[in-house]
Amino acid sequence: MEVVIQPDAAAIARLVADEVQSLLAARPDAVLGLATGSSPLAVYDELVRRYEAGALSLARVRAFMLDEYVGLPDDHPERYRNVIEREFAGRVDLPAGAVQGPDGNAEDLPAACAAYEAAIAAAGGVDLQLLGIGSDGHIAFNEPGSSLASRTRIKTLTSQTRRDNARFFDGDVEAVPRHCLTQGLATIMSARHLVLVATGAGKAEAVHHLVEGPVSAMWPATIMQHHPRATVLVDDAAASRLQLAGYYREVFAGKPSWQGL
Ligand code: F6R
């Protein structure tokens, strides 16, 4: 696992956008994994800037979302499919239909989960998966106790996650759905490169467990320690509980610039 400590979200976004840009230069039809929430927003803004400057195109890209709430009306602004359209897909040249997500309004939710797994496999898997981390250590919506071998399925959100996400629902915890469909930890682990972004002191404990704790279903993101290519980008506040922060900085400072993340 590579840990990259940067001063702020904008510096992190530039590094992640560099990585996406070089992936697309090598493979214009790459498959991207998209996260929602606050963490990837600066990355999306940076990618949009580069698209508008003509530096990259997503015209041949396909993308898969990590998760979706169950039961939000199709036109609800916080439905993740709508969020990703607003924050990213609708601002670049991703063709209509290029972004897929699990269908949280399907009649048969387990069948929708299986269909989603099949769609990711049919696309050849995800090349680069963007991730945020919950303050309880979840990635996608794999809450503590999730099977480390899980695939896309229905999950119940913890009250902490519902409280954390209430800010997107005018502060009303009761408006945050209780259930979601989420890629499982094994689904995420199948992506070829995992890129996790975390900023702010509220993520410091989860980041500490992710990078330096034992692998455990209690902190689901720790499964990433088993991934051969996982990059964790954090700001100084999110890095504040890392015991080896000095070493991570030294390693990154000594890395040749051509090497990328
Ligand atoms: C969103 C997702 C979640 C978020 C996590 C952090 O698709 O899968 O795991 O990444 O809840 O959320 P933010 O970035 O809003 O702090």
Side-chain angles (χ1 to χ4, degrees):
M1 182 178 285
E2 182 180 27
V3 181
V4 180
I5 304 172
Q6 292 290 296
D8 53 35
I12 291 172
R14 284 192 293 274
L15 289 173
V16 176
D18 287 349
E19 188 65 20
V20 173
Q21 199 173 329
S22 52
L23 170 66
L24 296 184
R27 282 197 57 188
D29 59 348
V31 179
L32 297 181
L34 303 178
T36 44
S38 309
S39 305
L41 292 181
V43 173
Y44 294 150
D45 287 345
E46 181 64 24
L47 289 172
V48 169
R49 248 190 304 278
R50 293 182 190 201
Y51 159 70
E52 287 172 347
L56 60 82
S57 167
L58 293 101
R60 294 175 57 198
V61 164
R62 278 158 307 161
F64 289 91
M65 293 167 53
L66 282 172
D67 40 22
E68 182 59 271
Y69 291 118
V70 167
L72 283 186
D74 283 354
D75 60 352
H76 194 289
E78 292 310 321
R79 193 173 176 235
Y80 279 172
R81 195 174 269 274
N82 299 332
V83 171
I84 214 73
E85 185 62 26
R86 189 171 66 236
E87 307 288 6
F88 183 52
R91 302 166 66 203
V92 293
D93 58 346
L94 269 164
V99 180
Q100 297 187 55
D103 182 0
N105 287 334
E107 288 270 302
D108 183 341
L109 291 173
C113 293
Y116 196 56
E117 286 280 333
I120 297 173
V126 170
D127 290 302
L128 186 152
Q129 176 65 60
L130 268 175
L131 295 162
I133 186 169
S135 58
D136 64 1
H138 69 231
I139 48 172
F141 276 137
N142 294 282
E143 297 284 29
S146 289
S147 161
L148 300 179
S150 50
R151 312 295 313 196
T152 303
R153 67 210 184 292
I154 307 164
K155 283 296 285 183
T156 302
L157 298 175
T158 60
S159 12
Q160 182 172 337
T161 297
R162 293 180 67 232
R163 275 197 303 277
D164 286 349
N165 286 6
R167 69 191 193 280
F168 297 117
F169 292 80
D170 297 324
D172 179 6
V173 181
E174 285 310 310
V176 183
R178 289 175 190 277
H179 297 100
C180 64
L181 302 187
T182 179
Q183 285 191 31
L185 292 169
T187 319
I188 294 167
M189 288 290 285
S190 304
R192 287 178 272 282
H193 186 188
L194 302 182
V195 177
L196 185 143
V197 172
T199 54
K203 299 293 173 70
E205 185 184 14
V207 166
H208 159 68
H209 286 281
L210 159 65
V211 178
E212 297 175 336
V215 174
S216 159
M218 282 304 287
W219 291 92
T222 57
I223 189 65
M224 288 174 60
Q225 292 178 25
H226 282 292
H227 198 284
R229 193 168 177 216
T231 311
V232 173
L233 297 106
V234 290
D235 67 359
D236 292 318
S240 59
R241 287 200 46 199
L242 290 176
Q243 289 167 16
L244 300 182
Y247 175 63
Y248 308 137
R249 288 182 202 276
E250 206 177 298
V251 170
F252 189 68
K255 197 172 169 181
S257 58
W258 49 262
Q259 210 174 331
L261 292 180

